[in-house]
Amino acid sequence: MLNAIIALISGILFGTGMIVSNMVDPTKVINFLDITGHWDPSLAVVIIGALAVFTPCYHLFIKQRRHAINGKEFNWTKNTKVDGKLLLGATIFGIGWGLVGICPGPSISSIGNGSISTYLFIASMLCGMAIANLNINIFNKKCSS
Amino acid sequence: MENFTPWTSLLGGALLGLSAVLLMLFSGKVAGISGILNGLLTPKKDDFLWRFLFILGMASSILLLVPFSIELPTVSGQPLAFIIGGLLVGFGTRLGNGCTSGHGIVGIGRFSKRSIIATCLFISVAALVVFLRLHVGAL
């Protein structure tokens, strides 16, 4: 029950953050990425705002705990290796992000906008994830050898 | 910088940070949206409901903001661009194990080397793609 309530509250806070900061507007994201154009640093300030809350809370209240309040282990990755898979994945994600100015968080937060473009993006993104899941073993092998 | 909105960006960002703190402190989960979504595609026992509720909360948060006369902007453009963009974002975030939230907020906040490098890389690549599109006329 605690898990369910926390998940719902965190989801609402996350969506609200995306909407309040207007990251749900792809034009605003593109303007951040358009450094040589009419540059809009807002997205950087969003990340700074998020880090200003998350970083101290993590290092003061979470890091030294052996498990979360619900008794479960923390599920962050133990992997610390910068490998080809990470670099290739981040590059491919960057190309897609630069193409339309939408990443996963804003796409879900803007589901209520009634725009076909948003729904096309979300459906394609889920397909992209499924394709990656089906082929992940190939990349795991290639990048660890 | 006529479009710069520092205060709403800072406030929105703080809400994202608070969301990530709550989810991790109480449930031990990383607030990475691509990862949460992907778990819905590959459901495991006792691991579906929280993901579904998080996504439901995100998707419906606009309902709480309507009384403050906040509206979602409509999105339009070339359908093919959204299809290709979506495929690349979905594929890339799985291969790279995270997106702007998982790497850019939770990972960087934890001082993870992988996340710092991934975030610098995807922002640089996206900026390059935008430069090529808007200023070189390519793509």
Side-chain angles (χ1 to χ4, degrees):
Chain A
M1 193 61 193
L2 176 74
N3 287 337
I5 294 168
I6 289 296
L8 188 63
I9 293 174
S10 314
I12 291 171
L13 285 172
F14 206 96
T16 305
M18 286 288 172
I19 296 167
V20 167
S21 60
N22 207 19
M23 291 298 113
V24 286
D25 184 355
T27 311
K28 194 158 181 68
V29 175
I30 298 285
N31 283 343
F32 166 75
L33 296 169
D34 188 13
I35 299 158
T36 60
H38 299 285
W39 191 52
D40 174 2
S42 299
L43 191 149
V45 177
V46 174
I47 294 184
I48 289 168
L51 288 175
V53 174
F54 182 79
T55 312
C57 289
Y58 170 78
H59 290 275
L60 292 174
F61 309 124
I62 298 178
K63 201 172 135 189
Q64 67 272 36
R65 295 183 65 96
R66 294 179 57 192
H67 41 71
I69 287 174
N70 70 356
K72 297 270 170 61
E73 299 240 325
F74 292 106
N75 80 333
W76 54 66
T77 175
K78 308 280 184 295
N79 183 2
T80 55
K81 215 177 107 199
V82 177
D83 53 16
K85 206 176 121 202
L86 178 79
L87 300 177
L88 184 63
T91 303
I92 294 172
F93 165 42
I95 296 171
W97 193 28
L99 212 53
V100 286
I102 311 176
C103 59
S107 75
I108 301 297
S109 309
S110 46
I111 263 181
N113 68 4
S115 304
I116 300 292
S117 305
T118 301
Y119 306 140
L120 274 179
F121 177 89
I122 294 174
S124 310
M125 174 176 71
L126 295 174
C127 287
M129 288 179 176
I131 294 168
N133 290 335
L134 294 173
N135 297 289
I136 209 94
N137 289 331
I138 302 170
F139 289 99
N140 281 339
K141 254 181 226 158
K142 279 218 174 109
C143 295
S144 60
S145 59
Chain B
M1 289 217 251
E2 63 268 35
N3 302 319
F4 187 32
T5 50
W7 298 112
T8 50
S9 298
L10 205 57
L11 174 66
L15 291 172
L16 302 180
L18 182 63
S19 163
V21 168
L22 285 181
L23 193 66
M24 186 168 276
L25 182 62
F26 283 90
S27 306
K29 308 293 185 192
V30 172
I33 310 310
S34 59
I36 293 177
L37 279 174
N38 188 56
L40 291 176
L41 295 177
T42 52
K44 293 187 187 75
K45 195 174 172 288
D46 294 333
D47 191 50
F48 187 84
L49 185 66
W50 77 270
R51 293 173 188 271
F52 176 77
L53 290 171
F54 187 94
I55 297 298
L56 182 71
M58 272 181 88
S60 54
S61 56
I62 183 62
L63 299 175
L64 300 173
L65 295 169
V66 168
F68 302 95
S69 60
I70 294 176
E71 283 175 24
L72 287 169
T74 51
V75 179
S76 60
Q78 285 286 335
L80 190 61
F82 290 100
I83 293 171
I84 295 171
L87 284 170
L88 293 173
V89 167
F91 188 86
T93 51
R94 272 311 76 216
L95 204 59
N97 223 36
C99 57
T100 331
S101 48
H103 281 312
I105 299 172
V106 177
I108 292 185
R110 293 178 53 232
F111 304 149
S112 150
K113 193 172 80 180
R114 272 171 60 86
S115 291
I116 294 168
I117 291 173
T119 306
C120 292
L121 186 58
F122 61 65
I123 290 182
S124 307
V125 170
L128 179 67
V129 169
V130 167
F131 179 77
L132 292 174
R133 269 178 50 215
L134 301 185
H135 303 289
V136 183
L139 300 170

